[in-house]
Amino acid sequence: MSEPPTATAPPPPPSSLRHHRAFRLFWAADSVSQFGTYVGNALLPLLAATTLAATPLEMGLLSAAETMGYLLIGLPAGVWVARARQRRLMRRANTGRALLLCTIPVAWWSGLLSVAQLIAVALLCGILAVLFDVAYQSHLPALVDRDRLLEGNARLQSSQSLAQITGPGIGGSLVQLSGPAAPVLATALGYLTSSLLLRRVREPDPANPPDGTGPPLLAEVGEGLRFMARHRTLLAITGCTATANFFAGVLGAVQVLFLTGVLGLSGSAAGATLSVLGLGGVLGALSAHRVVRRIGQARAVWLVPLTTFPALLLVPLASRGTLLALTPALAGLLVTGYGIVVYNVAQVSYRQVVCPEAMLARANATVRFVGFGAVTLGALLGGVLGESLGIRGTLWIAAAGTSLAAAWVVCSPLRGMHDFTPTPTPTGTGTGTPTAGT
């Protein structure tokens, strides 16, 4: 008799995500999508302002439409993503954004383009962006080992930060060089490219539950909210993120007026100054993996915002005149941008580890719902404060509020931890238990 065939041992995991084919494709797809988002966020307002002579009210509505999706579907999106095949959902979201953008050059060539259409496209693309973003954050733990989450999130954040720096400039340059139609079509092509890259990922993309059914939507949303409310560390992280985002909205309402009106910078110089925030983000993404590993994953969630967010207090100290007078603003934006990205890498990785797989999408959606909703509310308050207190006074409030955001995580159980380890739960419904390190 012949010997029965022996089972072949699975290949060892790659030593780095640089050698992980599925992650490389996933990272490339997300990078292309992020560039499309930031280029598109610059294109639509430019088209409205330069081509359609939009009023300030119309510009405000267009800006609000870009993030309104998080308020409209932010919470149920977590349930939908948890039930869906997530890579397929990401592909469909990007294909939908490409088709929506293609309506703009068609309307332009037909002489029918209007601000109302741009607002509608921005709103619908924003809703699809919610689904894409929640899905990519929730799918990463299924694609790579948990001890690679820090590295994976750092690489994803580096692409997002680079897109944040270069996307608006690319969008503006394309409009100047080729008119409104070509850059919109190029952005749509980028979304389609992202969908094709996601299709090439061969790893399983299961739905949860497999038959596509589950408890009622409201029941699952409520379960996700109760889970977040009971988890003290996740609640503290959400509070920190929401507070920082709220005052980022206040800052965003007056920062351009501060740079151009108070400091007297030209439009290009103001844009270059603001890009320093993104440059800090790129530096943070490149070093986040090493920094978080060195100081501890749990400790980084509170120590990084505590030491970097107060740098924003340097920005209101800038004055009109020489480059030296602008130095406080440049330093404050650079350090704050660095801290934001390192904090994001640490807290997203933390959430991906401590959340059960069945709860992760809802947790991600809840954080993004609260965080982006806070940006919208903060922007409204920033406009009111700018009118009543002046630009520099509003900037001081934004900087002080951002600095205080760290109090949420400093006063949480995270302060007594160095690292954390999830508790295995065979049913998939338990919670990870953070443990203090040495």
Side-chain angles (χ1 to χ4, degrees), residues 15-349:
S15 58
S16 169
L17 292 183
R18 287 178 296 178
H19 309 295
H20 194 301
R21 180 181 182 277
F23 175 78
R24 291 202 312 269
L25 290 170
F26 186 79
W27 182 21
D30 178 69
S31 299
V32 173
S33 182
Q34 294 292 348
F35 271 93
T37 297
Y38 282 101
V39 171
N41 286 348
L43 282 177
L44 298 190
L46 281 172
L47 291 178
T50 61
T51 304
L52 301 176
T55 66
L57 176 60
E58 289 172 330
M59 292 295 289
L61 291 173
L62 179 59
S63 178
E66 292 176 348
T67 57
M68 187 62 67
Y70 287 95
L71 291 175
L72 294 178
I73 69 161
L75 290 177
V79 179
W80 297 332
V81 168
R83 295 178 179 180
R85 299 186 185 277
Q86 291 166 358
R87 290 202 306 273
R88 183 170 65 183
L89 179 62
M90 294 168 67
R91 294 200 308 268
R92 290 178 175 178
N94 274 348
T95 301
R97 285 193 277 187
L99 294 175
L100 285 167
L101 288 175
C102 286
T103 66
I104 294 175
V106 171
W108 166 255
W109 291 323
S110 304
L112 301 174
L113 185 63
S114 66
V115 176
Q117 180 182 348
L118 294 183
I119 292 174
V121 170
L123 176 62
L124 294 174
C125 284
I127 289 173
L128 293 173
V130 174
L131 298 173
F132 181 93
D133 289 347
V134 173
Y136 100 78
Q137 281 193 341
S138 304
H139 191 64
L140 182 62
L143 201 63
V144 304
D145 293 335
R146 292 213 163 192
D147 61 353
R148 297 292 181 189
L149 287 177
L150 268 177
E151 182 183 356
N153 282 313
R155 292 179 184 277
L156 293 170
Q157 278 286 328
S158 66
S159 297
Q160 184 175 350
S161 297
L162 187 60
Q164 184 179 5
I165 294 177
T166 60
I170 292 173
S173 300
L174 288 175
V175 169
Q176 283 187 323
L177 292 173
S178 58
V184 175
L185 287 175
T187 305
L189 181 61
Y191 283 130
L192 292 176
T193 302
S194 176
S195 296
L196 292 175
L197 289 169
L198 286 169
R199 185 176 288 278
R200 294 185 61 193
V201 179
R202 298 196 184 101
E203 271 66 6
D205 185 20
N208 182 26
D211 58 2
T213 62
L217 176 65
L218 291 179
E220 292 215 42
V221 169
E223 184 183 2
L225 291 174
R226 288 191 296 273
F227 171 80
M228 294 291 290
R230 290 193 302 263
H231 203 298
R232 290 181 60 195
T233 52
L234 289 178
L235 187 62
I237 289 170
T238 304
C240 176
T241 302
T243 303
N245 282 1
F246 178 84
F247 287 102
V250 175
L251 174 68
V254 298
Q255 63 184 3
V256 173
L257 295 175
F258 176 71
L259 294 174
T260 57
V262 178
L263 302 186
L265 299 179
S266 65
S268 58
T273 301
L274 291 176
S275 71
V276 172
L277 186 71
L279 175 61
V282 170
L283 296 176
L286 293 175
S287 61
H289 186 210
R290 293 188 299 274
V291 170
V292 174
R293 287 289 190 192
R294 188 174 187 83
I295 66 177
Q297 210 163 343
R299 184 182 291 169
V301 176
W302 66 268
L303 187 57
V304 169
L306 178 65
T307 55
T308 60
F309 286 9
L312 202 62
L313 291 166
L314 294 172
V315 176
L317 297 176
S319 58
R320 183 187 292 260
T322 62
L323 179 61
L324 182 63
L326 187 62
T327 299
L330 296 174
L333 291 172
L334 183 70
V335 174
T336 304
Y338 179 90
I340 288 172
V341 169
V342 176
Y343 164 76
N344 280 339
V345 170
Q347 63 95 1
V348 169
S349 300

